[in-house]
Each structure stands twice: as C-alpha cells, then as structure tokens.
C-alpha cells in the first residue's frame, strides 16, 4: 500500500496541476500575511511606501533637487532604483481617490506585489524547463522554493524585489534565447537583442544591484559572438571574420521594442551616466 501511494505521488509530481498547487500554496500564505500583518513589515516596507508617496507629487520620475524632509530615503533625486516606486505611484494615486485609509491602500498594493511574485513563479518554472530540467524536477524545486519561509513573507509586502524577481527570469530567458541562436544559427534576431537590452535596462532602474547582472550578460553575449566569428575563420579561412549576422524582421513589434529601448536607454543614461559624470559613482550616497 505504501509503495503504491509513493508511486502515485511520484507520478503526480510531474503533472501541471502539481505546480498550480504550489502557486496556490504561495498565494494562500501571502494573502494571509498581506491581510493580517501590521504595517510596516520587514524589508523596509515603509521605506518603499514613502518613496511611492514621493513620486505621486510629480508626473515624471525626475526631481530637480532633493525633496524636503526626504533624507531618510537617501539621495532620492539621483537614486537609480526608482522605476518600481514611480510606476506603483499611479495605482496608489488611483486608490487614494476612493479611500484615505492607509490600511486599505497598503493591502491593495500588497496584493499587486503578490501578483508580481506569482508571475515570477511561472517565469522561473519556464526558465528551469528551458535549461533542461524535467517537469518533475522543476515542480519539486518550485515547491521547496515556495516553502522557504521568507518567500511568502516577501511576496506579501510592498517591495521592489517582487518586481525584480520576474524581470530577472525574463532577462535570463532572453539571454538563453540569444546564446542558442548564436550557437545553432550563427546569427541572432534583432528582436531578441532588443528584448534582452530592454529587460536588462528596465531591471537596472528598478534595482541598482541588477546592473552587474546586466553587464555580465552583455559580456557573455560578446564573448560568444566573437567566438562564433573566430570559429568561422578557423574553418573557412575567409578574408573577413564572418561575424554572426543579425536578422531584421520588419514587424510592428520590432519598431515598438526599438522605441521602448530608446526610452529605457534615456532613463538609464539620465541616472547612471549623469551620476558617473557628476559624482563618479553610479549610485552616490549623498
């Protein structure tokens, strides 16, 4: 009897409903915490809410100087980790039109963060399968990930890590796609490069500590790009190196991604490039 139950459980682990059960477990835990935990929670929830409130005062995410009485939030006007707070300020303002209750405002923002974390779970599962993990192994890893006590606690509060989680998964999915195209097709689609740069740029202005990951990903792409060209030269001995080609697909999505990348690049440069020029640091302390 025990062996039959074990065999049945072993078979169930690889089924899609098992993963949905893992997601449901995370949602139930996070909902309970989001609805019952006092404000603020750990991980500086009041810090993030304070920054969101500061961004409600301006239409664009730029400050000409340090806002008054904002020293507790650091150098807000040059902080490179601002996109999450800026974007969350819009639903915060919308909620504030209907209620002035801080409790209700915080709970709704917490629910939005649970949604971001759940999105990250689906992307993390896709990432594991993409790198070759079996359905059974993926579901077991996701189960233990969700059972880590800190995960439902993080998902249930207002924190930019809930946005970085899905963005990191998307970044590595796009990186893997580029590497496979270079290895298998000796070229890469322009739309894949645009997605890679766009996701990396957005993640870097959501949280500053993502920047080394972005630079590392770019370095990996460049190294493989050069290596593919070098292999062509060794095998065919042409006069040129035979650089991997970039395939351009003239689709609306390509133009939209290019436009979004220009905007993201501008936002990235406005913080990182100017911070380096003015303060010799991408994230100045004061």
């Amino acid at each position: 009897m025990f062996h039959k139950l074990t065999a049945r459980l072993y078979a169930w682990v690889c089924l899609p409903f098992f993963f949905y059960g893992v997601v449901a477990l995370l949602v139930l835990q996070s909902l309970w915490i989001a609805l019952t935990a006092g404000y603020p929670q750990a991980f500086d929830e009041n810090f993030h809410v304070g920054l969101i409130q500061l961004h409600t005062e301006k239409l664009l995410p730029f400050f000409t100087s340090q806002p008054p009485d904002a020293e507790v939030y650091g150098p807000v006007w040059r902080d490179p980790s601002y996109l999450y707070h800026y974007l969350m300020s819009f639903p915060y303002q919308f909620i504030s039109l209907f209620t002035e209750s801080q409790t209700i405002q915080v709970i709704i923002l917490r629910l939005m963060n649970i949604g971001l974390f759940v999105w990250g779970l689906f992307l993390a599962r896709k990432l594991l399968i993409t790198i070759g993990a079996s359905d059974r192994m993926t579901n077991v890893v996701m189960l233990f990930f969700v059972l880590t006590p800190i995960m439902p606690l993080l998902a249930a509060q207002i924190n930019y890590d809930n946005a970085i989680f899905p963005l990191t998964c998307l970044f590595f999915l796009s990186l893997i796609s580029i590497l496979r195209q270079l290895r298998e097709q000796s070229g890469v689609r322009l739309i894949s490069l645009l997605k890679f740069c766009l996701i990396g740029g957005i993640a870097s202005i959501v949280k500053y500590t993502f920047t080394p990951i972005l630079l590392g990903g770019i370095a990996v792409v460049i190294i493989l790009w050069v290596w593919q060209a070098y292999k062509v030269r060794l095998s065919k001995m042409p006069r040129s190196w035979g650089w991997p080609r970039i395939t351009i697909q003239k689709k609306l999505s390509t133009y939209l991604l290019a436009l979004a990348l220009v905007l993201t690049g501008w936002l990235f440069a406005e913080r990182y490039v100017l911070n380096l020029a003015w303060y010799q640091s991408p994230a100045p302390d004061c």
Side-chain angles (χ1 to χ4, degrees), residues 264-284:
T264 303
W266 172 55
L267 295 175
F268 184 94
E270 188 274 335
R271 288 303 160 98
Y272 285 97
V273 176
L274 289 184
N275 282 350
L276 285 171
W278 293 348
Y279 304 105
Q280 293 73 55
S281 172

Side-chain angles (χ1 to χ4, degrees), residues 205-259:
I205 52 179
V206 167
K207 189 171 183 179
Y208 163 66
T209 52
F210 187 87
T211 310
I213 300 176
L214 171 60
L215 296 177
I218 292 174
V220 170
V221 171
I222 292 174
I223 290 171
L224 186 57
W225 194 290
V226 174
W227 174 245
Q228 289 296 110
Y230 182 66
K231 286 201 302 183
V232 170
R233 183 173 178 84
L234 286 178
S235 59
K236 298 181 179 180
M237 296 299 291
R239 292 184 179 180
S240 64
W241 272 61
W243 295 101
R245 65 187 182 277
I246 297 178
T247 304
I248 301 175
Q249 297 173 304
K250 295 182 179 180
K251 296 182 178 179
L252 177 61
S253 56
T254 303
Y255 296 112
L256 292 177
L257 281 171
L259 181 62

Side-chain angles (χ1 to χ4, degrees), residues 33 37-49 110 150 153-162:
I33 296 171
Y39 172 80
Q41 295 190 68
F43 306 116
D44 302 321
E45 189 176 37
N46 58 336
F47 175 85
H48 294 289
V49 172
R110 286 176 177 177
I150 200 173
L153 184 63
L154 174 62
Q157 62 182 278
I158 304 164
N159 192 294
Y160 56 12
D161 287 327
N162 291 316

